[in-house]
Amino acid sequence: MIDFLTRHPAPLPRPAYLHRLPSLHWLWLLALAALFLGIGMGLRDPWPADEPRFALNALEMLKTGQWWIPHRAGEPYPDKPPIFMWAMAASIQLTGSVRLGFLLPSLLGALGTLALVMDLANRLHGRRVALLAGLALLSSFQFGLQARTAQIDMLATLWITLGAYGMLRHALLGPARRWWFLGCAGMGLGILTKGVGFLPLLMLPTWGLLAWRRQAVPLAWKDLALGVGVILGVVALWVVPMALYTSFSDDPALTAYRDNILFKQTGERYADSWHHVKPWYYYPLEVIPWAWLPLVLALPWLVPTWWHRTRRRDARILLPLSGVLLVIVFFSLSPGKRGVYLLPTLPLLVLACAPMLPGLLCRPRLHWLGAGVLALFAGMFLAAGVLGALGLPALARLAERHAVSPWAWWSLLGLIALGLLLWGRARHGMLALVGWLAVFWLSWSTWGYQLMDPARSPRDMMQQAVAITGPDAWLAMPAFDEEFLLQARQPMVHFGYHTADDAQFQRAFAWLADTPEDRWMLVPQHRDEEIACADLTRARDLGVQNSEAWWLIPGTAFAGCPGDAGAAPLYVAPTTLDAASAE
């Protein structure tokens, strides 16, 4: 048994060249990042699959005052703890707008993660490397995507990175017990955000081995125990009151919420996942090639260098690199996998690459590889744009299905890629690729938002529905999607997110039969079998939304449909948006 937890060698000397990054550099790069990542905020609504759900949770908190137990349209939402919903609710309240506020937590999470990575890279390797590390993280494809997406993962990555930062400050630049405890608090917040905030603890075995070989500052058993106590204490700040509140409640829905959030969404979700089931090779073969772009192109040079540093037991490389590998292994062992789960590896990957970045930029073959990838993008986008504009049947069907015609946008992206190739040639291929990725994200956040928002957000369709029914008419939506409830301009009911579809329709028929003159149903046209009993000649065609055709049917058309009021629960969704807050 390695006794690194009880040994206390002298702290590692801090080289003289490790000096703090001047505040001016911090301000310039963070201001650039805030501008780059923040462009487009306010230009679109929350898009499915996850964004409308969290916006609905946040708005319901603001409207009902129920902050401790997140609700989704009146029904307790047990899939995630409430930290991200709290942050989104605060952002919407601060900005006074859903469109402005719902993306703010992800933006702040990205900027915080960037600041932590740059600061640690500066302390370990110096100012120049810190700037390159910041630019490397900022240009990483998955980082740019999630910073512009209102999913829970960017904020969770901030807390996970804070946990890793505290560990690495103590292990490589310590002793720094305060940073270790602050990192543990970050891990606790990460658990309250997405449950996997403990991921930095996967680096403990590597830390122990390096401390045993006197390559890192050891962690005392007492500090380890206190750190775990800090993690559990932060988690207990929400879990204990929640468990008491739900346990002493007479509402069986709250008891089910407690059991779901504490057990099903943790151990069962990991060990016996019921969705997103992927093969073991999903991450290395299907996610890393695009998520780690453009850093992934440097792996042929990074891997031998990492091996050399491993033989030298360079703790500055081994600790973050072990974190990357163990996070991949951890998520690969679960049958349920999503590409976004690897987002926390990017800050650690950048730290593991940081001292090699200046040398990588001098590798001609790496630039040739970057130019080749950029040429591939140029051909793909230019061909798709031109052929789509010419009416190629396959692309025309795709555009009709999604109600988007991006041909001019794609053609311009292809032409810009060609222009950057001519400018940079093979000698500066990586710089040209990074420049094109910046253009891609800027156009995505402006032109792309304007093109896709009408197809991804049902705002216009729900306004059309209220114009037909009147603002006081009630609307039922069996098998609902959150984006429709989020954009509702009239009272709506649903019948439980996880209720079987047949039971939902039976309950809907009974509800409509109570006062059919004032009640309507919103339903996809492919559900024609479930509503075959209705008089569909009275249905209003609302067109295509989210790749599906929709009907708006008056309650009087369901006179021949047998209902069952006990088949499913009935939830009244608070009217979430009004004209002021929607803009």
Side-chain angles (χ1 to χ4, degrees), residues 398-450:
L398 185 67
E400 182 180 2
R401 177 184 174 187
H402 295 282
V404 177
S405 297
W407 316 131
W409 176 34
W410 288 1
S411 298
L412 181 61
L413 284 173
L415 290 173
I416 291 175
L418 286 177
L420 287 170
L421 277 173
L422 292 176
W423 165 78
R425 304 184 185 276
R427 293 177 300 173
H428 304 291
M430 281 294 290
L431 299 180
L433 176 59
V434 170
W436 182 84
L437 287 172
V439 171
F440 172 83
W441 286 122
L442 291 175
S443 67
W444 168 276
S445 302
T446 50
W447 195 350
Y449 282 2
Q450 295 292 328

Side-chain angles (χ1 to χ4, degrees), residues 120-197:
L120 191 58
N122 173 63
R123 295 173 185 277
L124 292 173
H125 309 291
R127 182 190 312 167
R128 182 189 179 202
V129 170
L131 291 172
L132 290 175
L135 291 171
L137 182 60
L138 190 60
S139 64
S140 298
F141 189 86
Q142 192 176 46
F143 186 83
L145 175 64
Q146 290 302 313
R148 296 172 175 84
T149 305
Q151 291 180 312
I152 209 163
D153 300 271
M154 194 72 252
L155 189 61
T157 297
L158 169 63
W159 305 131
I160 292 169
T161 305
L162 177 59
Y165 178 94
M167 291 182 67
L168 296 174
R169 279 289 298 264
H170 187 37
L172 303 177
L173 298 168
R177 297 174 69 244
R178 287 181 297 177
W179 284 107
W180 158 248
F181 294 132
L182 181 61
C184 290
M187 287 184 253
L189 290 172
I191 292 172
L192 286 183
T193 303
K194 200 181 177 178
V196 293

Side-chain angles (χ1 to χ4, degrees), residues 259-305:
D259 296 340
N260 200 324
I261 192 71
L262 293 181
F263 304 111
K264 185 175 181 179
Q265 298 299 329
T266 53
E268 184 177 345
R269 188 184 186 98
Y270 178 81
D272 189 19
S273 184
W274 54 92
H275 61 171
H276 303 301
V277 177
K278 302 290 183 181
W280 64 268
Y281 54 81
Y282 174 68
Y283 290 120
L285 297 186
E286 298 185 33
V287 177
I288 286 176
W290 64 264
W292 287 2
L293 195 72
L295 272 178
V296 69
L297 302 179
L299 286 180
W301 293 271
L302 286 171
V303 171
T305 305

Side-chain angles (χ1 to χ4, degrees), residues 323-374:
V324 172
L325 297 176
L326 290 171
V327 168
I328 295 173
V329 171
F330 175 81
F331 285 121
S332 295
L333 292 176
S334 173
K337 302 176 180 68
R338 295 181 66 191
V340 74
Y341 293 173
L342 284 199
L343 181 63
T345 64
L346 272 172
L348 294 173
L349 176 69
V350 169
L351 289 171
C353 298
M356 285 79 86
L357 291 174
L360 286 172
L361 292 177
C362 300
R363 297 277 184 177
R365 292 183 181 179
L366 178 59
H367 286 285
W368 296 347
L369 189 57
V373 172
L374 184 56

Side-chain angles (χ1 to χ4, degrees), residues 7-27:
R7 299 176 61 184
H8 295 273
L12 297 177
R14 187 168 187 264
Y17 66 84
L18 297 181
H19 47 280
R20 293 182 180 273
L21 193 67
S23 60
L24 184 62
H25 289 79
W26 278 105
L27 291 175

Side-chain angles (χ1 to χ4, degrees), residues 64-71 74-77 82 86 236-259 261-262:
T64 66
Q66 172 54 271
W67 291 81
W68 216 245
I69 307 295
H71 282 69
E75 180 183 16
Y77 173 68
W86 291 345
L237 290 176
W238 175 75
V239 169
V240 171
M242 180 275 298
L244 293 174
Y245 175 72
T246 54
S247 297
F248 289 102
S249 171
D250 295 330
D251 188 349
L254 293 180
T255 304
Y257 170 87
R258 178 203 61 200
D259 296 340
I261 192 71
L262 293 181

